[in-house]
Amino acid sequence: MEPGSLPQASAPALQAGVDHLARTWDTVTRALQSRIRAEAFQTWFRRSALVRCDDQVLAFAVQNDFARNWIVSNYLAEMGEAAREVFGSPRQIEIEVDAELVRPRDAERETVLVAPAPLARTRATQAAPAAMPGELVLNPKYTFDNFVVGPCNRFAHAAAAGAAESPGKTYNPFFLHGSVGLGKTHLLQSLCGSILARNPQARILYLSCESFVNHFIDALEKSDLLRFRDKYRNVDVLVVDDIHLLANQERTQEEFFHPFNTLYQAGKQSVLSSDSPPKDIPTLQERLVSRFTWGLVVEIEPPCYETRMAILKRKSRDRGREFNDDVARLLAERIESNIRELEGAVTRVLAHCNLVNAPVTVETAREALREVFAARRGEPTMEEIIACVSQRFAVRASEMQGKKRTNAIAFPRQVAMFLARRLTNHSLEDIGGYFGGRDHSTVVHAITKIEAKSKSDPQCGDMVADLLSRLRGLKP
Ligand code: ADP
Ligand code: MG
């Protein structure tokens, strides 16, 4: 081989290596995209590139320290899962900074001025306000009317509706918190829609916390902080979703404080949502915490059994095939903590039944959700507890969940309540809800009774111990 041929031979090899990295990164980021929100992906990963990949390490680069820190505090777990999915075994994730990594940004996705659909179109044809790059059409399904109200979210719903009625006056700032999938975004968007319906001229800035940070980084890079500040100050209503993402971002918190404060002083409404109350957001500046709590802080709680039933009925009815009680009960018992998952289950069941052209029954629903149910781990479900007890005492599950008070039913029902308290995280109210809507004092009574009886009566003690170990055995 001539000495000169070496570079020519290695160039394609080099290119192949680069292509390989790009393809691998493409696969990994695709796996990542199914785990994080589209907007988060756009913000933090669209300028990323794979640097190194072997059987131990997956190293990629992002455009600056800020993005790196953000990913480390928020998306490392998802990144690890994505890598594991792609490679079949875990990789150590390393993140480097490479300022050269500049891919074009699509500005449209960032800050959004909310307007209902027809209005957004009108505005787009007129001169759009220069400071607002994109407009988000409100999701029409997010309205107060479409929001199913129960004890868990009644206060949140009322407060959001109240703030929409007289923005800046009643509940300001309005801070809504609760864990994921419980309807925070739904309420925030309903609030925007309702304000706009009353006053189409209202200037509402609705954005995710990530958009805010994203703009801030952009402004920093372009040394354009003044314009950045103005943009956020010239609105009537500022709505920032998922503010907990500001945790550990001191510089951005500082920047957020200014417009927030100015708006407050000008009597303009701010609305914030978060996955935890202000004081529990790590390293949130003291003065932000105290500002947030000036107004109204409301928690949105996981839906209780009755509310889950109502949501399932409503969502299936809206899709044209209302579930009967048995089907709704099956889902409400299995899917407990998250309304988004309930909604997903409705979609899945309906799609399955349409596909196989079958009616919606407990059997077809179970079939449609087999994977979902199988994937659940940990504590036994209420359905498993009830099934186990009803088998033991030869009574029907529906009777235990019904109103009858004969001793033959009441005792197994009390045992099931006791087991539910021992083996699950359900509240007393929630447990009562499963057993014919009984209140929490009935549940306390059942638990005390079974506890006492299993101490004084060895037969009862054995029976309870056996049921407990059986149900614990259901865990993987
Ligand atoms: P979060 O922002 O708290 O994570 P979302 O507002 O995105 O939750 O809600 C998740 C899904 O559940 C959305 O599709 C929303 O419409 C639906 N949802 C949440 N709460 C309710 C409710 N009370 N009634 C009807 N749908 C709801
Ligand atoms: Mg949300």
Side-chain angles (χ1 to χ4, degrees):
M1 187 191 288
E2 288 176 24
S5 65
L6 199 57
Q8 272 141 31
S10 70
L14 201 65
Q15 187 56 46
V18 171
D19 287 350
H20 178 67
L21 281 180
R23 269 199 311 276
T24 308
W25 192 230
D26 200 47
T27 315
V28 175
T29 50
R30 224 169 278 182
L32 181 67
Q33 281 182 67
S34 66
R35 292 178 163 79
I36 70 178
R37 285 184 305 115
E39 193 184 15
F41 182 82
Q42 280 296 320
T43 305
W44 305 109
F45 293 93
R46 80 193 136 174
R47 292 200 205 176
S48 61
L50 189 59
V51 179
R52 220 168 38 253
C53 174
D54 55 37
D55 53 6
Q56 307 279 323
V57 174
L58 180 81
F60 66 99
V62 294
Q63 71 273 31
N64 54 32
D65 273 338
F66 201 93
R68 181 183 184 282
N69 294 343
W70 189 278
I71 293 171
V72 168
S73 15
N74 295 291
Y75 299 116
L76 218 48
E78 287 83 356
M79 199 64 228
E81 284 169 18
R84 185 194 275 267
E85 180 188 312
V86 171
F87 303 110
S89 59
R91 292 290 181 278
Q92 186 182 324
I93 307 293
E94 289 176 5
I95 311 180
E96 299 175 3
V97 172
D98 179 357
E100 305 280 281
L101 274 179
V102 185
R103 276 201 218 153
R105 294 179 153 215
D106 41 348
E108 284 70 36
R109 286 176 175 274
E110 295 169 8
T111 309
V112 283
L113 174 67
V114 168
L119 197 65
R121 257 179 253 121
T122 342
R123 283 201 190 162
T125 55
Q126 294 163 0
M132 309 296 176
E135 293 191 70
L136 173 80
V137 175
L138 282 178
N139 186 336
K141 74 173 213 197
Y142 292 154
T143 63
F144 286 133
D145 289 344
N146 282 345
F147 192 83
V148 177
V149 179
C152 52
N153 58 24
R154 177 165 291 121
F155 193 25
H157 178 265
E165 231 165 78
S166 46
K169 306 229 160 51
T170 328
Y171 308 119
N172 193 25
F174 172 41
F175 191 104
L176 178 63
H177 68 94
S179 60
V180 63
L182 297 185
K184 299 183 297 295
T185 298
H186 188 133
L187 282 180
L188 258 48
Q189 291 219 3
S190 305
L191 179 147
C192 295
S194 164
I195 293 178
L196 280 168
R198 280 164 225 267
N199 172 15
Q201 303 308 319
R203 290 175 56 86
I204 303 180
L205 192 54
Y206 174 98
L207 63 157
S208 74
C209 185
E210 263 159 350
S211 306
F212 179 83
V213 177
N214 203 15
H215 270 238
F216 175 58
I217 302 173
D218 241 13
L220 273 186
E221 282 174 359
K222 295 188 191 128
S223 313
D224 204 6
L225 275 177
L226 278 181
R227 262 191 57 198
F228 170 80
R229 287 179 185 164
D230 277 351
K231 170 161 48 188
Y232 287 91
R233 285 169 181 174
N234 293 329
V235 296
D236 301 316
V237 182
L238 175 67
V239 183
V240 186
D241 205 356
D242 292 331
I243 193 82
H244 55 272
L245 295 173
L246 277 187
N248 305 318
Q249 306 293 331
E250 275 180 34
R251 182 81 202 270
T252 330
Q253 288 179 17
E254 187 60 39
E255 207 47 56
F256 180 72
F257 184 78
H258 294 291
F260 178 69
N261 211 27
T262 319
L263 288 174
Y264 179 81
Q265 279 161 4
K268 304 292 170 68
Q269 177 78 45
S270 4
V271 182
L272 307 145
S273 82
S274 157
D275 70 354
S276 45
K279 64 173 176 29
D280 293 348
I281 303 178
T283 77
L284 191 65
Q285 288 177 12
E286 210 35 58
R287 55 181 188 156
L288 267 179
V289 173
S290 82
R291 290 294 147 109
F292 288 166
T293 49
W294 279 349
L296 180 68
V297 178
V298 176
E299 180 175 5
I300 185 164
E301 289 166 42
C304 64
Y305 181 70
E306 318 279 329
T307 311
R308 297 202 294 279
M309 288 290 282
I311 288 172
L312 287 161
K313 291 261 185 183
R314 171 73 187 263
K315 303 254 164 190
S316 54
R317 189 172 72 225
D318 288 350
R319 288 166 169 77
R321 280 174 104 170
E322 182 168 332
F323 290 170
N324 65 31
D325 280 358
D326 289 338
V327 172
R329 214 174 279 138
L330 172 78
L331 271 61
E333 279 164 8
R334 297 296 193 102
I335 302 168
E336 293 153 343
S337 59
N338 183 319
I339 297 177
R340 185 175 290 127
E341 279 179 23
L342 279 179
E343 209 170 50
V346 172
T347 308
R348 233 175 141 123
V349 168
L350 291 178
H352 176 81
C353 294
N354 278 337
L355 198 71
V356 300
N357 203 9
V360 183
T361 62
V362 169
E363 286 68 40
T364 50
R366 209 189 288 274
E367 219 171 273
L369 297 171
R370 203 172 35 219
E371 285 161 38
V372 178
F373 289 169
R376 304 188 81 80
R377 299 191 179 283
E379 60 187 40
T381 64
M382 291 298 288
E383 201 196 28
E384 284 159 351
I385 293 174
I386 292 168
C388 192
V389 175
S390 71
Q391 199 184 8
R392 172 83 186 213
F393 291 93
V395 294
R396 270 205 291 275
S398 60
E399 284 181 310
M400 282 207 292
Q401 295 185 269
K403 300 278 177 210
K404 253 196 219 165
R405 288 164 192 242
T406 55
N407 206 30
I409 305 296
F411 183 66
R413 187 185 289 137
Q414 288 169 334
V415 171
M417 289 181 180
F418 167 84
L419 293 170
R421 187 59 176 172
R422 271 291 181 83
L423 296 171
T424 73
N425 278 323
H426 289 292
S427 65
L428 295 167
E429 285 76 12
D430 216 6
I431 294 174
Y434 281 101
F435 295 93
R438 289 174 159 80
D439 68 17
H440 89 286
S441 61
T442 311
V443 182
V444 171
H445 172 73
I447 295 167
T448 334
K449 179 171 161 192
I450 301 301
E451 262 168 7
K453 195 168 159 67
S454 45
K455 279 188 198 128
S456 65
D457 171 357
Q459 222 184 335
C460 177
D462 287 349
M463 178 271 295
V464 166
D466 177 57
L467 286 171
L468 277 172
S469 64
R470 243 170 230 254
L471 284 160
R472 289 201 174 107
L474 286 171
K475 290 190 278 185

